[in-house]
């Protein structure tokens, strides 16, 4: 879930940059159609505004990447803890679909070769006779 949200934020961030760049090119073309003294002033103002916005976006991107890295480290630590437990541990959503299970649980229910994420107990029972 977190990974999907991060991909969405990264995708949105890249889309904003691409839209900004496209708008900047269109504005430069429109400005070049102005009379001589004003087009140079307008282009300089536009370029400085674009640079300022890009720097702001890069700063936001750096902050996002730092948060993302921290979340990945925390997820790795929790996953290590989960898999080191000698007992069966399983996380399910509110509708009974499997989200995560530790190594002991995968061995216990013969799920080592099965993609269990999003499946219910009934679904897994059809895939693994022992289940």
């Amino acid at each position: 879930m977190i990974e999907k949200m991060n991909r969405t934020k990264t995708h949105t961030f890249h889309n904003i940059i691409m839209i900004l760049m496209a708008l900047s090119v269109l504005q430069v073309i429109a400005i070049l159609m102005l009379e001589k003294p004003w087009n140079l002033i307008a282009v300089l103002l536009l370029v400085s505004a674009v640079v300022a916005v890009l720097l702001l976006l890069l700063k936001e991107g750096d902050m996002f990447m730092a948060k993302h890295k921290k979340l990945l480290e925390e997820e790795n630590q929790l996953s290590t803890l989960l898999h080191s437990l000698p007992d069966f541990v399983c996380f399910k959503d509110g509708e009974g679909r499997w989200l995560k299970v530790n190594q002991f649980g995968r061995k216990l229910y013969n799920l080592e070769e099965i993609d269990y994420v999003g499946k219910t107990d009934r679904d897994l029972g059809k895939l693994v006779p022992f289940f």
Side-chain angles (χ1 to χ4, degrees):
M1 182 72 166
I2 292 174
E3 186 176 318
K4 184 177 180 181
M5 287 173 45
N6 287 337
R7 279 192 302 242
T8 303
K9 286 181 181 180
T10 302
H11 185 65
T12 303
F13 179 75
H14 289 292
N15 285 344
I16 290 171
I17 291 176
M18 296 305 290
I19 290 169
L20 177 67
M21 297 306 290
L23 287 174
S24 300
V25 169
L26 291 174
Q27 287 177 341
V28 167
I29 291 170
I31 288 171
L32 289 176
M33 293 180 186
L34 294 175
E35 293 188 24
K36 270 294 182 198
W38 294 109
N39 67 358
L40 181 60
I41 294 169
V43 167
L44 289 174
L45 287 172
L46 176 65
V47 167
S48 62
V50 168
V51 167
V53 170
L54 283 176
L55 289 174
L56 179 67
L57 286 173
L58 287 172
K59 180 181 174 188
E60 289 292 321
D62 288 343
M63 289 174 25
F64 169 77
M65 291 306 292
K67 289 178 184 177
H68 180 69
K69 183 178 178 182
K70 183 178 178 186
L71 281 174
L72 286 177
E73 288 172 2
E74 289 176 2
E75 183 180 2
N76 188 33
Q77 290 172 348
L78 290 173
S79 184
T80 300
L81 175 64
L82 174 73
H83 292 300
S84 68
L85 294 172
D87 296 319
F88 171 70
V89 179
C90 175
F91 294 102
K92 295 182 182 182
D93 66 10
E95 296 177 11
R97 293 182 297 235
W98 287 48
L99 300 175
K100 196 153 183 95
V101 65
N102 66 347
Q103 288 300 109
F104 181 81
R106 290 186 77 154
K107 288 179 185 175
L108 179 67
Y109 290 109
N110 293 326
L111 298 175
E112 287 116 333
E113 304 297 323
I114 304 292
D115 181 20
Y116 63 86
V117 177
K119 294 185 174 47
T120 62
D121 291 344
R122 185 178 302 242
D123 297 334
L124 291 173
K126 292 175 185 174
L127 295 172
V128 181
F130 173 74
F131 191 82

